[in-house]
Amino acid sequence: MSVDRVDEGRTDQGAEALAATAALRYYPVAPGVRLNVRSGPGTGYAVVRVLIEGAKVPIFCQTPGTTVTGPYGTSNIWDNIDSGEYVSDAYVKTGSDGYIASRCG
């Protein structure tokens, strides 16, 4: 009988990245809405781009910010959809009125 040697100091970053990508879920933006993407979690931050109607977004983390009223209620939760890019959770159909992702650090 043989025993395989396990190198505990080595990680397979490619497999980890693939698993993270596979687990990433996309959420739909409210129908008929062109949504402003801002540089921070609030309406006082600059618009960096606009999402087209029918867009779906990943949510990497969430953070409190300006309270906004949208199609999915009133919320102060902002969704981080990319590095330095935030949208109000009141415009994203997450299926929850609360946090569905970890808090941004």
Side-chain angles (χ1 to χ4, degrees):
M1 176 166 97
S2 68
V3 176
D4 292 332
R5 183 171 172 258
V6 176
D7 185 357
E8 294 179 11
R10 183 175 176 268
T11 62
D12 189 347
Q13 292 177 349
E16 289 173 10
L18 182 59
T21 302
L24 189 58
R25 181 173 172 191
Y26 284 77
Y27 299 88
V29 171
V33 171
R34 294 184 67 221
L35 185 59
N36 288 335
V37 178
R38 297 187 177 270
S39 62
T43 55
Y45 289 88
V47 175
V48 295
R49 64 184 172 119
V50 178
L51 297 176
I52 62 170
E53 291 183 34
K56 291 185 178 185
V57 296
I59 298 176
F60 295 105
C61 63
Q62 295 175 300
T63 191
T66 305
T67 299
V68 173
T69 299
Y72 300 117
T74 299
S75 179
N76 73 334
I77 298 173
W78 285 74
D79 305 330
N80 174 252
I81 63 167
D82 204 344
S83 180
E85 295 187 354
Y86 296 82
V87 295
S88 171
D89 195 62
Y91 285 87
V92 180
K93 186 175 184 178
T94 62
S96 173
D97 289 337
Y99 287 88
I100 55 101
S102 62
R103 294 266 182 126
C104 300

